[in-house]
Amino acid sequence: MNRKQKQLSMFFAAFILTITTMFSGFSMEAEAAEGQLGIDAEAAMLIDADTGRVLYEKNSDVVLGVASMSKMMTEYMVLEAIKQGKLQWDQKVKINEYVYKLSGAPGLSNVGLTQGEDYTVKELYEAMAIHSGNAATVALAEVLSGTEKNHVEKMNKKAAELGLKDYKFVNSSGLNNSDLLGKYPAGSPEEENVMSARSMAMLAYRLLQDYPDILKTASVPVLKFRDGREYKNFNWMLPGLIYQYDGVDGLKTGSTDFAGYGFTATAMRNGQRFISVVMKADSKDSRFAETRKIFDYAFSNFTKEELMEKNFQIQDKKTLPVTKGKADSVKIQTDKAISMTIRNGEKDQYQPVLVLDKKKLTKDGELTAPIKQGEQVGYLTVKTNNEEKISFLTDSGQKEIQVPVVAAESVEKANWFVLAMRGIGGFFGDLFGGVADTVKGWF
């Protein structure tokens, strides 16, 4: 083969590759991500933190141990109680004998707590959120719900309320029940908390949506406690720690023999925030390495873009017909823009979908005057060119990319005389049309 033939062959191969890529579109996205990332963990997810759009998933519905990542539920419940005025940050909590003994149990993550001494809710919360203090978590569970048993029941109820689907909480801390000094609140003696990666991502999503201030504590790399000691955050991807990663500011690690090593993380750069979940990695180090892969993939491949601007009009649906109005049509448009996190360079893969409110239309598809400017007549959403579903954490996630379509102008109702004349005109029009058709039939 001569040089020109080789060049022609290479050009043809590149052309075929380009065409194949163009037409493969979204159907290849999940497979490409799976191949690119090669996540070495039992389950994993990548979520857009603003909308809950799923950008990557691996075994996302498999139920696995979550260990201390389950403390995020107690964090949520503490923050909720603070917001509702049922709990105060400076409220005093006296340490009982059981919590004291648990805080000194060997091999468990804890800050030292003194029996009979008062600690504030804030101190215990920081010990739980920053250093994953197990005894501090139990103390908070007791102050929130009276007993840890009651608290576990509330954790399960709250999970259902938040939209989690695959979960079971048997204690507040995420430890194996066998580590709780014989006082496990629910389940069997060897049982642990379990969740799917999807439910874990949902919990993180709701935490960030409902209580974004959680990051003020979750992002603290070192806890300086009242005992004079410093306790490092187990999230080693925070600034100043050994696996620091630009933008990481939360959330929670977890590990037990049953759960392996897990990490639910969040990171933000240039206003773009993602949530990552890694479950059942095989070491402390690998859970951070796999999380780095996921975030590298996220920040390199996805950007939030405006798909449809405010006042957008679909080309062949710029107006709707109007009956009984001074005008026979009305302009319609969106009242806000549609934005979504998408893969770089794929904005043209999305197209608008108009859904009209059938309750406002006659059987002939007309709006009935009067119509006020700004009145909603339906909504606009988007779909991919190949009709592939845009996946969100919940079934209601699709509403995140729906915007109202409204009348761009007012149309007043025509007065009785005009309507009567139209009726007469329509009658004679139909009459003469019928006569004309009959005459044509003669010939």
Side-chain angles (χ1 to χ4, degrees):
M1 184 181 289
N2 60 36
R3 183 176 180 182
K4 287 186 177 180
Q5 287 176 318
K6 286 182 179 180
Q7 289 177 333
L8 183 61
S9 177
M10 290 174 65
F11 173 79
F12 182 73
F15 176 76
I16 292 298
L17 178 61
T18 302
I19 294 298
T20 302
T21 302
M22 287 173 60
F23 283 94
S24 62
F26 289 89
S27 62
M28 295 294 291
E29 184 171 311
E31 292 179 20
E34 185 77 29
Q36 270 183 296
L37 298 181
I39 296 300
D40 187 16
E42 189 69 24
M45 286 199 87
L46 170 65
I47 304 297
D48 168 46
D50 288 334
T51 64
R53 185 183 178 189
V54 178
L55 304 174
Y56 167 81
E57 56 187 310
K58 174 185 177 182
N59 297 333
S60 57
D61 295 309
V62 175
V63 178
L64 299 167
V66 290
S68 284
M69 292 192 294
S70 54
K71 290 184 174 74
M72 290 164 57
M73 180 59 78
T74 297
E75 291 178 34
Y76 187 99
M77 295 169 73
V78 168
L79 295 171
E80 183 179 55
I82 293 288
K83 182 179 180 180
Q84 294 173 349
K86 297 177 180 178
L87 202 64
Q88 305 295 327
W89 285 121
D90 60 358
Q91 185 172 328
K92 299 293 177 58
V93 180
K94 191 175 295 292
I95 302 302
N96 60 36
E97 182 181 9
Y98 169 61
V99 171
Y100 160 68
K101 287 182 176 178
L102 186 64
S103 74
L108 304 184
S109 173
N110 274 308
V111 299
L113 300 175
T114 303
Q115 184 176 351
E117 191 166 334
D118 288 334
Y119 294 79
T120 65
V121 167
K122 185 176 182 181
E123 286 178 307
L124 295 172
Y125 177 85
E126 289 175 342
M128 172 180 67
I130 299 171
H131 192 63
S132 199
N134 291 294
T137 304
V138 174
L140 287 170
E142 291 177 347
V143 76
L144 277 170
S145 307
T147 67
E148 188 180 10
K149 179 179 176 61
N150 289 341
H151 184 69
V152 170
E153 291 177 2
K154 290 182 179 181
M155 290 173 76
N156 285 294
K157 288 179 181 178
K158 181 59 64 177
E161 181 185 314
L162 295 177
L164 279 61
K165 293 182 179 179
D166 305 302
Y167 62 87
K168 182 181 179 182
F169 294 102
V170 296
N171 60 59
S172 62
S173 62
L175 290 171
N176 189 287
N177 273 348
S178 63
D179 291 320
L180 294 174
L181 309 182
K183 292 193 175 185
Y184 58 91
S188 64
E190 300 289 333
E191 203 167 349
E192 291 188 19
N193 297 338
V194 294
M195 295 172 70
S196 65
R198 187 179 303 277
S199 289
M200 198 73 251
M202 185 63 182
L203 177 55
Y205 173 72
R206 288 299 304 268
L207 261 172
L208 293 176
Q209 289 287 314
D210 299 345
Y211 303 106
D213 282 352
I214 187 177
L215 297 176
K216 291 181 180 179
T217 304
S219 62
V220 176
V222 179
L223 170 66
K224 296 180 180 179
F225 204 59
R226 68 157 70 177
D227 60 7
R229 297 178 58 190
E230 293 188 351
Y231 299 88
K232 285 187 177 180
N233 197 317
F234 286 105
N235 176 1
W236 293 349
M237 296 184 80
L238 290 172
L241 301 184
I242 60 174
Y243 290 111
Q244 64 179 358
Y245 185 92
D246 182 25
V248 168
D249 51 5
L251 282 163
K252 194 73 191 70
T253 61
S255 63
T256 64
D257 291 342
F258 171 71
Y261 294 86
F263 183 28
T264 298
T266 184
M268 184 171 73
R269 294 181 186 172
N270 302 318
Q272 179 77 57
R273 179 174 290 282
F274 296 103
I275 295 168
S276 164
V277 178
V278 170
M279 296 181 71
K280 208 164 187 179
D282 59 12
S283 70
K284 288 181 181 179
D285 296 333
S286 66
R287 65 182 168 190
F288 300 120
E290 303 313 302
T291 299
R292 176 179 289 274
K293 286 182 190 177
I294 294 173
F295 281 147
D296 282 348
Y297 170 69
F299 288 112
S300 298
N301 289 278
F302 294 94
T303 308
K304 188 172 184 178
E305 293 200 40
E306 185 178 280
L307 300 179
M308 311 294 165
E309 71 276 12
K310 183 180 179 180
N311 301 329
F312 175 83
Q313 294 179 302
I314 293 183
Q315 192 63 34
D316 59 348
K317 275 287 185 182
K318 292 184 178 181
T319 64
L320 284 180
V322 175
T323 184
K324 299 183 179 181
K326 288 186 176 180
D328 60 4
S329 66
V330 62
K331 293 179 181 177
I332 59 172
Q333 62 191 26
T334 59
D335 74 345
K336 61 178 69 172
I338 293 181
S339 297
M340 186 169 66
T341 297
I342 63 173
R343 186 185 285 274
N344 297 338
E346 291 189 348
K347 185 175 180 178
D348 60 354
Q349 297 281 343
Y350 295 86
Q351 55 183 282
V353 177
L354 175 64
V355 180
L356 295 172
D357 185 350
K358 293 182 179 179
K359 293 180 181 178
K360 293 197 172 185
L361 301 177
T362 68
K363 63 180 181 179
D364 297 319
E366 299 172 311
L367 293 170
T368 303
I371 301 165
K372 294 182 179 180
Q373 183 178 8
E375 181 180 339
Q376 185 171 349
V377 297
Y379 66 86
L380 191 78
T381 186
V382 295
K383 66 178 181 179
T384 62
N385 286 345
N386 62 0
E387 303 289 341
E388 186 170 313
K389 183 180 179 182
I390 302 172
S391 179
F392 290 85
L393 277 177
T394 65
D395 294 337
S396 62
Q398 189 70 34
K399 294 180 181 178
E400 298 288 344
I401 52 169
Q402 292 178 1
V403 296
V405 171
V406 300
E409 56 196 351
S410 296
V411 177
E412 295 181 14
K413 185 175 182 178
N415 61 43
W416 67 270
F417 181 76
V418 171
L419 293 175
M421 289 301 99
R422 286 180 185 170
I424 294 171
F427 170 77
F428 283 108
D430 292 342
L431 178 62
F432 289 128
V435 171
D437 289 341
T438 301
V439 172
K440 287 178 184 179
W442 292 347
F443 299 95

